[in-house]
Amino acid sequence: MKLKYIINGIVFISILLLFSFSLFDNKEEQNLELWYKSPAKQWIETLPLGNGRIGMMPDGGVNKELIVLNDITMWSGSKDTLDNVPLNSSEYLTRIRSYLLEAKNIEAQKLMAKFIKTKGLGPNYGRGNNAPFGSFQLLGNLDIKYLYSDNNSEFEQYKRSLSLNNAVARTSFVKSKINYKREYFSSMEDDIMCVHLSSDKSHAISLELHLSRPERANVSVESNALIMQGQLNDGYDGNKGIKYYTRLELKNKGGNIECTDTSIKVIAANVLDIYISSSTDMLDSNYRQTVDNRIINAKKYSYKRLKDRHIKAYQKKFNRVSLNLGPQNNTIPTDKRLLAFSEKDDPSFAALYFQYGRYLMISGTNERTIPLNLQGMWANSVQVPWNGDYHVNINLQMNYWPSEVCNLSSLNLPLIEFIKSLEASGKKTAQNFYNAKGWLAHIQTNPWQYTAPGLDVSWGATTTGGAWLCSHLWEHYLFTQDKEYLKSIYPTLVGAAEFFLSTMIEEPKHHYLVTSPSASPENSFYQNGSTTPIYICMGPSIDIQIIRDLFSNILSAANILGIEDNTTTEIKRALSKLPPIQIGAKGNIQEWLEDYEEVDPHHRHVSQLYALYPSNQISVNSTPQLAKAAKVTLNRRGDEGTGWSRAWKINFWARLHEGNRAYKLLRSLLQPTYDTNNTILKGGGTYPNLLCAHPPFQIDGNFGGTAGIAEMLVQSQDGYIELLPAIPDSWKKGDFRGLCVRGGAELSISWNNGIIDSVELKALCDNTFKIKLANNIKAFVCKGQELYAEKGIVSIKLDKGKSIKLTTVLD
């Protein structure tokens, strides 16, 4: 019940706190749906389903349907001991550093091209499928040929859809006056994939089923079960590759089942359920028995019960957060709605896209598997672009940007364990290549813990990939405040710092400590009037910013854990000698230690602004001059770029409190990469199924876009909570529930005409939370009492599980 009072000319909004329910409990659930009027003609039109381990992408074909099957652990390759061994002598390192100290970067770069070579094949220039590095790849294809009484008849009333509310996809149409329906889901509860076929006429379901994959597959039929199994290449054509086992079984009402050696035929069924169970031996040595047991377990349940169990498990995560920016317009197909969004504003479409990112994270990974790769967990080939690996110069990190703030914290667990698993390999790389202590990772890695340099100086020389990953370890602590967890990751942080403490050198001009050799990810510069693009340098800005975070986070962790030793002393000394963030002659943040001229001013990477996001070394609140220079940098870079680059820029502008510009970048990210006939065009943006186009498909842009929307709604990186710091003018009214903030709390807000009218904060741990008063808010009120604010900050102490509900006094 809402009451308004006028006191001394001030609008006072209060809510009777006689009820224990949340301010946001009664918000009507929106129907969040992607839907289309025709079958998918190509893979990037299909809709992704997954349970965090296995998934599928059905094309919804009427006469023939292709369902691409996926398993996140389908990786070729294996550990390659030669990758940690330099091809050439490590004495090159001393000569490279000497050249750099003499500003002879071109000479250093020539030697660097030899230094980074390993005795192994490394990532094999993106062709790792048959190399030890390996490649993520599809599990296989389920081809279904439907047999109708009249195959040549036309179909009508076609709809293909995906519900984000329950993670179930559907296909429906009318053919020969019969209504056909299909449902698909990857069970979050019972860990199988399920396809349910029905119609409104008896004995109308007839079809043939085939399983296949492009290579390394043995298909057979055993006891009415269709089985596909094999072993992927370990990179040596040996017997150490990943083994997989897929089993498909049917549950039919009516009709008959006929089998050949490699296919199954269903004749005249009333209802048909297809169960697909699959696994590999990457994480489960008993994978075959596991697959069989999951099928047996699933068939115990009715289809309705199986689906209900899946939906309940999925909604435990998905329903933690809601975002309402207006009614969803579900009368327009999603591909047409995306086309329209580029021409006319539709805030509710931004809310749909936000929740799609959360859906993709819940569907793409879980707490018991490996991290999301460049394509999440979805692929349709055995050699995916860039091996579908883990790029750690932004892409893997971007995959996990929304995880904490979007209330999916536990989905960081595979990433956390993966980062810790890199240490052993990273130590060998540090010793063999740099004669250094500690550990590092360069630009690319994989489930086999590859940490050696890349194969080309233009992208393979970056040394801070592992240290950047360590920032995610710290962020997880900031959101959870779990001290036992902090103890567990502290040695990993220290190991990463030890590498830089033992390798940084003093540059001669200012006597700063800098990395050497290194590179600003994938970007180059000109030196001394030369027209030769140069990548290799000392102390690129992103390196120093990442190391400053790493050192600062270790000191903060040490303080919390009561640790003071030689390492913390050495880190304090080194931290004081790092270069500051520098502003160049053009008023921009310098990308390199020197104010070089960049080869490509519009480069997709904006690495020098790591300090703005995801770090908080640049802040409109505490470093306004640097924030001003960050704006200059972004304006020089421009708003174009690959899909993930546009997503990063959303977060930049949100951190700069420029809501309209952030929204412009969101609309740029959602630029359709197809025309009105769904013909795929070139350039970054978004495919018809709302997956991000680098191009080609990379899922990091989806997660970066979702994180950017969250940054527009709430920020907490400066030690206090900022409410609606960067909403655009067109988001005049809305509400969200369940976003998380650092310090360990969930936040819910509603606003009208751009003005906050209610706030709810729920503590996930004991803590004192600070909330900044927005510009148009004079005070927060709780139970009729104004809360004291010191310099515009309200401090609220809450015990774990307790909530506080606030209303506002407006200026």
Side-chain angles (χ1 to χ4, degrees), residues 13-71:
I13 304 174
S14 180
I15 295 178
L16 293 181
L17 299 174
L18 303 176
F19 307 99
S20 61
F21 58 75
S22 165
L23 295 167
F24 301 87
D25 282 346
N26 293 332
K27 297 291 183 183
E28 183 178 349
E29 181 184 84
Q30 292 193 323
N31 179 22
L32 301 170
E33 182 182 58
L34 280 64
W35 76 276
Y36 307 83
K37 286 187 172 182
S38 61
K41 296 179 180 178
Q42 48 198 329
W43 182 64
I44 49 178
E45 295 179 49
T46 62
L47 295 168
L49 295 159
N51 65 5
R53 189 186 68 84
I54 55 175
M56 56 181 165
M57 298 183 75
D59 68 9
V62 173
N63 294 325
K64 294 181 180 179
E65 182 168 34
L66 171 61
I67 302 177
V68 179
L69 307 177
N70 290 114
D71 181 321

Side-chain angles (χ1 to χ4, degrees), residues 630-650:
K631 291 182 183 181
V632 174
T633 305
L634 288 169
N635 284 323
R636 291 188 75 246
R637 269 299 199 260
D639 291 346
E640 297 301 311
T642 59
W644 62 261
S645 177
R646 300 178 192 197
W648 197 2
K649 292 167 186 173
I650 299 168

Side-chain angles (χ1 to χ4, degrees), residues 234-336:
D234 62 3
Y236 303 97
D237 288 319
N239 64 352
K240 295 182 179 179
I242 290 293
K243 296 176 182 177
Y244 68 92
Y245 174 63
T246 305
R247 186 179 186 94
L248 181 153
E249 292 194 17
L250 304 176
K251 189 175 181 181
N252 60 302
K253 293 181 180 179
N256 299 306
I257 295 177
E258 298 177 357
C259 299
T260 69
D261 291 342
T262 58
S263 66
I264 297 178
K265 187 174 184 178
V266 178
I267 302 172
N270 298 321
V271 177
L272 179 68
D273 294 330
I274 304 172
Y275 301 108
I276 308 159
S277 181
S278 189
S279 190
T280 76
D281 66 349
M282 178 184 282
L283 303 176
D284 182 3
S285 59
N286 198 32
Y287 68 106
R288 293 177 62 91
Q289 188 62 52
T290 300
V291 166
D292 291 343
N293 288 344
R294 284 175 179 147
I295 286 274
I296 292 169
N297 178 71
K299 294 180 81 171
K300 293 178 182 177
Y301 300 107
S302 67
Y303 170 73
K304 182 180 184 304
R305 177 63 175 146
L306 196 69
K307 184 173 73 169
D308 288 345
R309 285 166 58 85
H310 156 69
I311 293 172
K312 183 178 180 181
Y314 166 74
Q315 290 181 344
K316 284 180 181 178
K317 289 186 172 80
F318 187 77
N319 286 355
R320 293 172 188 168
V321 172
S322 66
L323 173 61
N324 177 18
L325 296 176
Q328 290 293 328
N329 184 356
N330 291 316
T331 62
I332 303 174
T334 303
D335 52 338
K336 307 306 180 189

Side-chain angles (χ1 to χ4, degrees), residues 51 86 151 200 336 602 664 717:
N51 65 5
N151 273 337
D200 63 357
K336 307 306 180 189
H602 307 299
K664 179 178 182 290
Q717 70 278 359

